Amino acid sequence: MSLSTSPPPDAQSHTSQHALMPRRMEGTEQNSLQYPMLLNVTHIDMTSRADHIQAGLVDTFLNLERVDKNLYLARHLLKGRNSIPVVYGGQVIGQALSAATATVDFGFVPNSLHSYFVQSGNVNRPILYQVDRIRDGKSFCTRLVKAVQDGEAIFTVQISFHRSEPDSIVHQLPMPEVPAPDSLEDLSDTFDRIKKNPNLPPAALAMIAFKQKEIPPAFFRIFSFRPVDIDSYLCLKKDDVHSAGHGHPTDAYRSYVWIKANERVGDDPRLHLAAAAYISDATMIETALRPHSKRGFIPSMALTLDHSIWMHTDNFRVDDWLLYENHSTVASGGRSLIEGKLWTRDGRLVFSTTQEALIRAHKKSPPTPAK
């Protein structure tokens, strides 16, 4: 989930000189020509310029090597966890979105995507993104993107693009009333402070230990996370009498987290969309797991099966505070459904999301036969 360390000062020598020169992209693609250095590099070093956050995010999402028409290669891949070489799913979503965006005319912006994670990606191998131009219409364009490693699909996504048009009808739900981010503590600071508490419940200690062990430190260097209710986030609240199924509080399956990039990341709307898509995968599974973890449940497996996003506007910035609301509505048969809403600080709903996760328990050992 992070960007890796910075390259040496002469890292530019890894990129050929013509890689930084603008050229005509496929189709009309005037959007790419507005930002000529973002989608036409010929080589990307596996290390990122993470100390410069904007450059690190550009490497992460937009620096895809154009191999041929409709083919893009990603060499800079990020782990989702420190202990296993598996690509973080949010990055694959963001890169596929960038590859598809490179094939549509200027003026079209993504309005929805629907993706499936077929199998885990390996951070030690590049990912090839194959873009299928399903339809180019006057108002909408449709793209199907397949991410491939070693000749096998690891991810597929269908993305719809819409040419901006005037409002017809306008409405939205009100934004939840929650404390402002300025009044809350960064999650990384909370972990350092609260883990010194000798009376911390085992579930909270386990969560903190897991996150500090598995989430690469650079992730918190790039993004700030501020849970609205830290007691609920860390499973410190006692169960109340108003409970849903299995005795959990009715609000236990809901979470609110303020999220923001720690530095300004420029004005390219594609970068803000891709980074927001990346973030949208960060907190959903844990929203479904948290109430069960509080009561001792330890999954043997927890991963994303599919992920959908509806982009209501591209008029927002990831370097301004965004409130991510998650709500898990059901879990059964090893799968859980989580819904999300991403709000700007001034109350505009910019993303709606859904995710189905696979959450498996450890298999129970068969009883020992009597002698």
Side-chain angles (χ1 to χ4, degrees):
M1 291 173 61
S2 73
L3 302 178
S4 43
T5 56
S6 300
D10 62 345
Q12 289 185 350
S13 62
H14 296 289
T15 305
S16 62
Q17 291 182 353
H18 74 271
L20 301 180
M21 306 239 348
R23 59 166 175 75
R24 186 179 183 275
M25 299 289 287
E26 55 195 68
T28 56
E29 296 183 14
Q30 298 173 12
N31 54 336
S32 297
L33 294 179
Q34 287 191 326
Y35 308 98
M37 293 186 294
L38 298 182
L39 278 168
N40 57 349
V41 297
T42 60
H43 176 74
I44 304 163
D45 194 88
M46 286 297 291
T47 55
S48 167
R49 301 163 289 171
D51 285 346
H52 187 299
I53 288 178
Q54 179 183 353
L57 290 175
V58 167
D59 280 348
T60 303
F61 300 118
L62 300 185
N63 271 353
L64 305 179
E65 177 184 347
R66 182 181 182 273
V67 178
D68 202 344
K69 183 176 181 179
N70 303 327
L71 296 177
Y72 297 88
L73 193 68
R75 300 183 186 274
H76 176 69
L77 303 176
L78 311 177
K79 283 185 178 182
R81 291 171 54 181
N82 279 326
S83 61
I84 53 178
V86 172
V87 181
Y88 175 57
Q91 184 190 20
V92 181
I93 295 172
Q95 288 181 338
L97 177 59
S98 295
T101 302
T103 69
V104 301
D105 290 349
F106 177 68
F108 284 90
V109 295
N111 63 283
S112 68
L113 66 81
H114 306 279
S115 64
Y116 289 89
F117 291 89
V118 180
Q119 58 182 317
S120 298
N122 190 323
V123 294
N124 298 315
R125 295 184 177 92
I127 297 178
L128 181 67
Y129 292 94
Q130 303 173 350
V131 182
D132 189 355
R133 305 182 186 216
I134 302 298
R135 184 177 185 272
D136 287 309
K138 293 182 179 179
S139 298
F140 289 90
C141 296
T142 305
R143 297 292 184 264
L144 180 64
V145 183
K146 180 165 67 173
V148 176
Q149 280 188 329
D150 292 334
E152 296 187 358
I154 63 169
F155 170 86
T156 64
V157 59
Q158 186 161 311
I159 307 174
S160 174
F161 294 83
H162 182 206
R163 187 183 294 279
S164 298
E165 60 182 75
D167 293 334
S168 53
I169 60 173
V170 178
H171 65 262
Q172 72 161 50
L173 293 173
M175 179 181 179
E177 295 183 6
V178 299
D182 300 335
S183 66
L184 303 171
E185 187 177 36
D186 277 354
L187 190 57
S188 56
D189 296 335
T190 301
F191 286 166
D192 292 336
R193 173 181 58 81
I194 205 168
K195 70 180 181 181
K196 300 174 184 177
N197 181 354
N199 300 317
L200 206 61
L205 279 172
M207 177 183 292
I208 293 173
F210 175 82
K211 286 183 176 292
Q212 290 190 320
K213 175 186 176 182
E214 292 290 357
I215 299 178
F219 186 75
F220 290 114
R221 194 164 66 242
I222 296 168
F223 292 104
S224 289
F225 284 76
R226 297 186 180 182
V228 166
D229 186 345
I230 193 62
D231 287 346
S232 175
Y233 188 87
L234 291 178
C235 307
L236 301 177
K237 279 189 172 181
K238 294 182 179 180
D239 290 352
D240 60 23
V241 296
H242 304 291
S243 60
H246 305 286
H248 296 137
T250 52
D251 63 348
Y253 302 98
R254 192 182 297 273
S255 67
Y256 303 92
V257 181
W258 288 101
I259 304 173
K260 181 177 75 69
N262 288 326
E263 294 179 8
R264 293 187 66 81
V265 298
D267 297 323
D268 184 347
R270 296 174 303 157
L271 184 55
H272 292 269
L273 284 167
Y278 171 90
I279 290 170
S280 74
D281 188 41
T283 61
M284 300 189 84
I285 291 180
E286 66 184 35
T287 301
L289 269 175
R290 191 176 296 115
H292 302 277
S293 300
K294 181 178 179 180
R295 300 196 172 188
F297 175 75
I298 300 175
S300 66
M301 182 180 295
L303 51 84
T304 303
L305 292 174
D306 57 69
H307 190 86
S308 295
I309 306 175
W310 289 264
M311 296 92 158
H312 309 305
T313 179
D314 64 347
N315 182 23
F316 68 92
R317 303 182 62 91
V318 294
D319 48 18
D320 289 336
W321 284 110
L322 297 167
L323 178 69
Y324 198 24
E325 173 188 1
N326 288 171
H327 183 207
S328 181
T329 55
V330 65
S332 66
R335 305 188 313 277
S336 180
L337 184 68
I338 310 100
E339 300 173 353
K341 295 181 177 66
L342 190 66
W343 306 84
T344 61
R345 191 169 181 175
D346 60 2
R348 292 180 297 114
L349 181 60
V350 295
F351 274 20
S352 296
T353 61
T354 60
Q355 181 175 104
E356 187 176 45
L358 177 66
I359 300 176
R360 285 178 171 161
H362 289 274
K363 292 183 178 179
K364 295 181 179 179
S365 300
T368 303
K371 294 183 179 179

